[in-house]
């Protein structure tokens, strides 16, 4: 839990060091406390990720922090809650401590020994839904069908077309994209790699989406092996290579020429270690390592060096391993088995599992997971065997610490995408919907209003009128912090061709 902990300074270090932030009186006696600790045993039947039916029970009500933020108090000068009791006062008098005790307020997650990975979880789960979009006829049977670029564009493969749009705008591009099997934006967000399986041959096309609003196709590159489609592809961190995974398990690395260069793309190297269709390819945060997984549960970790791979280790899973690299720790990767659900944090250099979680009940399966790039929280998607229970999105700060639970989809959640700034999360399910979550609870509309109010000059002698205007705009009252109502919009079918549709979706 993320509850705040308070610690007493010396010289009274023999008193209980930690207090909770709830309104519960301290209960202890030295003999009873020691006897209780010696006789207590952990409950082995408790699963930390099995949620109760009462919504919001895991949330921490940090009264002191919330009230200080609301009242604008300074921690070093202002105090609102006192946790001193008769026992502590008597000990202070006995030791001739005449000054009041100083308290150190610190969240427990700053104690890195209690965390499984480097993480800065949110103080309180404040995420909410910004919008829900319908994605009719999206290619759900492929593995890399949607991507969110660093330039803010979202690209998705539908039945016979590729749709590229920017959230919160009216501009949308529809292109003919029949037989497209996988897509991926480059790190700069101005080029889109498209895998096409046409005439029973795998092709690679590089689409320029940065300079032309309609997109410009490059020259098609025929790849080997023949008769096998490209099931998954991604770019390396430099944007010079595209790594392609095939249906037969082969990995091909294609060196992509610059936009203005006349040199054609060339295949740098090939690797044949997987025995089945590759479903995921991801690089570590600095592109030192790369991991690949196939649909029979085999995962390989590679060392990457300028278009060349060297195998490091192999992870055998019982069923479809999902994985993601830590956002700022180069050597740490989280690997999850779908059924039975197990989540392991693996350290590449030491070749050992740092932490591990196994679900006791076989009532659900894991479908995908992803790290938040800002907080380091791990987002894990679950689907239950009971069809009446909707899928859930769990946010973890460690293997035994659930930060938040989000639910909106009606079917399996297969894809998780992060906005370029890491503030928004997009979840795509088999129910053909895309949900955009405001992960950190910062409303873009309220932020714009706040900046606008800060830029407006304040008129002398008209404080009452200006305060009333502020209240009407939602910036000077608590109503300005209310959550945005969910907007469910249908993605308009874009006509085939290279015409740009300027319609709201």
């Amino acid at each position: 839990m993320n509850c705040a902990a308070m610690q007493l300074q010396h010289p009274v270090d023999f008193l209980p060091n930690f207090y909770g932030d709830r309104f519960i009186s301290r209960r202890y006696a030295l003999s009873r406390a020691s006897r209780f600790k010696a006789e207590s045993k952990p409950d082995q039947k408790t699963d930390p990720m099995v949620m109760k039916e009462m919504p919001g029970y895991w949330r921490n009500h940090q009264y002191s922090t919330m009230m200080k933020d609301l009242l604008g108090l300074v921690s070093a000068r202002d105090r609102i809650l006192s946790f001193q009791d008769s026992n502590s006062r008597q000990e202070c008098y006995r030791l001739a401590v005449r000054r009041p005790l100083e308290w150190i307020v610190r969240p427990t997650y700053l104690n890195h020994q209690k965390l499984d990975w480097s993480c800065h979880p949110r103080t309180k789960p404040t995420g909410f839904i910004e919008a829900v979009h319908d994605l009719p006829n999206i290619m759900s049977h492929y593995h890399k069908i949607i991507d969110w670029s660093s330039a803010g564009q979202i690209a998705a493969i539908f039945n016979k077309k590729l749709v590229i749009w920017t959230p919160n705008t009216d501009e949308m591009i529809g292109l003919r994209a029949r037989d497209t099997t996988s897509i991926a934006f480059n790190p700069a967000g101005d080029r889109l790699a498209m895998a096409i399986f046409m005439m029973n041959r795998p092709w690679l096309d590089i689409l320029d989406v940065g300079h032309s609003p309609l997109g410009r196709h490059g020259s098609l590159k025929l790849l080997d092996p023949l008769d096998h489609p490209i099931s998954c592809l991604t770019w390396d961190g430099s944007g010079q290579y595209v790594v392609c995974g095939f249906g037969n398990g082969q990995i091909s690395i294609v060196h992509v020429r610059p936009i203005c260069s006349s040199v054609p793309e060339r295949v740098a190297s090939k690797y044949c270690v997987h025995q089945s269709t590759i479903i995921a390819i991801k690089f570590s945060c600095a592109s030192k390592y790369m991991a690949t997984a196939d649909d029979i549960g085999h995962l390989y970790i590679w060392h990457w060096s300028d278009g060349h791979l060297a195998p490091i280790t192999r992870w055998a899973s019982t069923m479809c391993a999902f994985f993601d690299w830590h956002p700022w720790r180069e050597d740490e990767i989280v690997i999850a088995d779908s059924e039975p659900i197990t989540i392991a944090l693996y350290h590449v250099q030491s070749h050992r599992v740092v932490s591990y979680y196994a679900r006791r009940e076989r009532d659900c399966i894991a479908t995908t997971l992803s790290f938040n790039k800002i907080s380091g929280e791990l987002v894990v998607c679950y689907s239950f065997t009971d069809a009446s229970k909707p899928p859930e999105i769990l946010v973890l700060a460690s293997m035994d610490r659930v930060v938040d639970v989000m639910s909106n989809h009606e079917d399996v959640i297969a894809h998780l995408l992060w906005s370029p700034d890491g503030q928004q999360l997009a979840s795509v399910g088999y129910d053909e919907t895309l949900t955009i979550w405001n992960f950190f609870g910062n409303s873009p509309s309220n932020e714009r209003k706040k900046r606008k109010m800060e830029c407006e000059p304040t008129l002398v002698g008209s404080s009452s009128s200006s305060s009333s205007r502020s209240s009407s705009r939602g910036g000077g009252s608590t109503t300005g912090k209310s959550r945005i109502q969910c907007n469910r919009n249908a993605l308009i079918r874009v006509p085939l061709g290279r015409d740009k549709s300027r319609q709201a979706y």
Side-chain angles (χ1 to χ4, degrees):
M1 305 295 287
N2 291 357
C3 58
M6 298 185 179
Q7 184 178 14
L8 285 171
Q9 289 184 336
H10 296 287
V12 284
D13 54 354
F14 56 85
L15 287 178
N17 288 333
F18 294 96
Y19 290 80
D21 67 339
R22 301 177 183 273
F23 298 105
I24 301 176
S25 58
R26 183 164 56 128
R27 304 181 300 271
Y28 76 97
L30 294 180
S31 59
R32 293 178 57 192
S34 60
R35 185 169 60 253
F36 174 76
K37 293 179 181 177
E39 296 176 356
S40 63
K41 296 181 180 180
D43 186 4
Q44 300 295 334
K45 297 181 180 180
T46 301
D47 192 331
M49 297 186 190
V50 176
M51 299 291 101
K52 297 181 180 179
E53 296 298 331
M54 182 174 63
Y57 82 100
W58 66 91
R59 298 173 184 257
N60 299 315
H61 303 283
Q62 298 183 341
Y63 298 104
S64 59
T65 303
M66 181 179 64
M67 293 175 68
K68 284 185 178 181
D69 293 341
L70 182 62
L71 301 177
L73 302 181
V74 181
S75 300
R77 185 179 68 247
D78 302 322
R79 298 176 182 178
I80 55 176
L81 294 179
S82 175
F83 290 90
Q84 294 183 359
D85 53 18
S86 59
N87 292 329
S88 63
R89 285 195 297 268
Q90 291 175 4
E91 293 296 334
C92 291
Y93 292 141
R94 187 176 65 85
L95 296 174
V97 179
R98 299 303 181 184
R99 61 180 178 83
L101 294 176
E102 295 181 0
W103 298 89
I104 301 175
V105 182
R106 63 181 183 183
T108 56
Y109 59 77
L110 291 182
N111 184 356
H112 296 287
Q113 295 179 355
K114 295 185 178 180
L115 293 179
D116 295 317
W117 59 82
S118 179
C119 183
H120 304 290
R122 297 161 296 170
T123 305
K124 194 171 184 178
T126 54
F128 58 89
I129 297 176
E130 283 194 345
V132 179
H133 302 285
D134 289 331
L135 305 179
N137 298 323
I138 192 169
M139 288 289 190
S140 58
H141 57 278
Y142 290 139
H143 303 286
K144 191 69 180 296
I145 61 173
I146 189 167
D147 199 9
W148 200 337
S149 74
S150 60
Q153 293 180 317
I154 299 178
I157 307 173
F158 293 84
N159 189 16
K160 295 181 180 180
K161 58 181 176 292
L162 170 70
V163 178
I164 304 174
W165 78 96
T166 304
N168 303 322
T169 65
D170 296 336
E171 296 185 0
M172 193 163 48
I173 304 173
L175 304 174
R176 292 183 181 272
R178 187 172 183 176
D179 302 324
T180 302
T181 59
S182 182
I183 57 174
F185 281 103
N186 68 337
D190 56 355
R191 307 182 80 180
L192 180 68
M194 301 173 55
I196 303 172
F197 191 64
M198 182 174 55
M199 297 180 294
N200 291 328
R201 297 292 187 270
W203 303 82
L204 179 65
D205 184 18
I206 305 298
L207 181 67
D208 181 14
V209 296
H211 300 85
S212 174
L214 297 179
R216 182 180 60 192
H217 289 274
S219 58
L220 288 174
K221 174 66 178 179
L222 179 63
L223 302 180
D224 290 329
L226 303 179
D227 302 329
H228 291 282
I230 300 174
S231 57
C232 184
L233 56 81
T234 190
W235 296 73
D236 76 318
S238 66
Q240 299 179 6
Y241 299 92
V242 175
V243 182
C244 304
F246 287 82
N248 66 340
Q250 176 179 305
I251 300 173
S252 296
I253 301 174
V254 180
H255 185 271
V256 181
R257 61 179 176 82
I259 297 178
C260 300
S261 175
S262 60
V263 179
E265 287 83 6
R266 59 181 178 85
V267 178
S269 53
K270 302 177 183 178
Y271 301 88
C272 301
V273 293
H274 288 275
Q275 303 299 322
S276 185
T277 302
I278 296 178
I279 61 174
I281 304 173
K282 293 182 181 179
F283 282 91
S284 60
C285 58
S287 297
K288 180 180 179 180
Y289 303 107
M290 188 187 79
T292 56
D294 55 36
D295 60 358
I296 60 175
H298 293 168
L299 184 144
Y300 286 85
I301 298 178
W302 310 78
H303 185 274
W304 172 268
S305 178
D306 295 331
H308 297 280
L309 296 175
I312 297 177
T313 187
R314 173 179 173 269
W315 180 284
S317 172
T318 57
M319 180 180 178
C320 291
F322 300 97
F323 65 93
D324 195 22
W325 292 93
H326 192 277
W328 59 79
R329 303 275 299 194
E330 184 73 11
D331 300 326
E332 293 183 359
I333 182 174
V334 165
I335 306 172
D337 295 350
S338 181
E339 186 182 8
I341 296 178
T342 57
I343 304 175
L345 178 65
Y346 183 78
H347 190 261
V348 177
Q349 284 191 346
S350 62
H351 297 274
R352 67 184 183 91
V353 175
V354 179
S355 60
Y356 185 82
Y357 164 80
R359 189 176 179 91
R360 300 181 181 277
E361 300 182 9
R362 292 175 175 261
D363 58 340
C364 61
I365 62 173
T367 57
T368 186
L369 57 83
S370 180
F371 274 108
N372 180 264
K373 311 308 177 186
I374 299 176
S375 64
E377 295 168 297
L378 181 64
V379 180
V380 183
C381 298
Y382 286 75
S383 291
F384 295 91
T385 55
D386 186 0
S388 61
K389 298 181 65 175
E392 290 183 347
I393 303 176
L394 268 63
V395 183
L396 308 179
S398 62
M399 295 299 181
D400 60 350
R401 189 172 304 171
V402 179
V403 179
D404 198 0
V405 178
M406 303 182 295
S407 179
N408 186 63
H409 291 272
E410 299 177 355
D411 206 342
V412 175
I413 302 172
H415 305 277
L416 292 175
L417 307 170
W418 293 99
S419 61
D421 57 1
Q423 299 284 338
Q424 295 172 302
L425 171 66
S427 56
V428 182
Y430 287 163
D431 54 0
E432 296 185 344
T433 61
L434 181 147
T435 302
I436 297 181
W437 306 82
N438 193 315
F439 193 72
F440 289 91
N442 300 322
S443 172
S445 60
N446 287 347
E447 289 294 330
R448 288 192 296 267
K449 291 179 180 179
K450 183 178 179 180
R451 289 195 297 267
K452 182 179 178 182
M453 291 176 61
E454 291 177 352
C455 295
E456 290 181 354
T458 303
L459 298 179
V460 179
S462 58
S463 58
S464 59
S465 60
S466 61
S467 61
S468 62
R469 288 194 300 268
S470 299
S471 301
S472 63
R473 285 193 296 263
S477 63
T478 56
T479 58
K481 298 182 180 180
S482 61
R483 297 185 175 185
I484 296 179
Q485 185 179 1
C486 171
N487 298 321
R488 185 177 182 89
N489 304 321
L491 185 62
I492 295 179
R493 298 178 181 272
V494 181
L496 297 180
R498 300 175 61 87
D499 296 333
K500 180 176 170 182
S501 175
R502 297 184 58 86
Q503 301 178 3
Y505 61 96

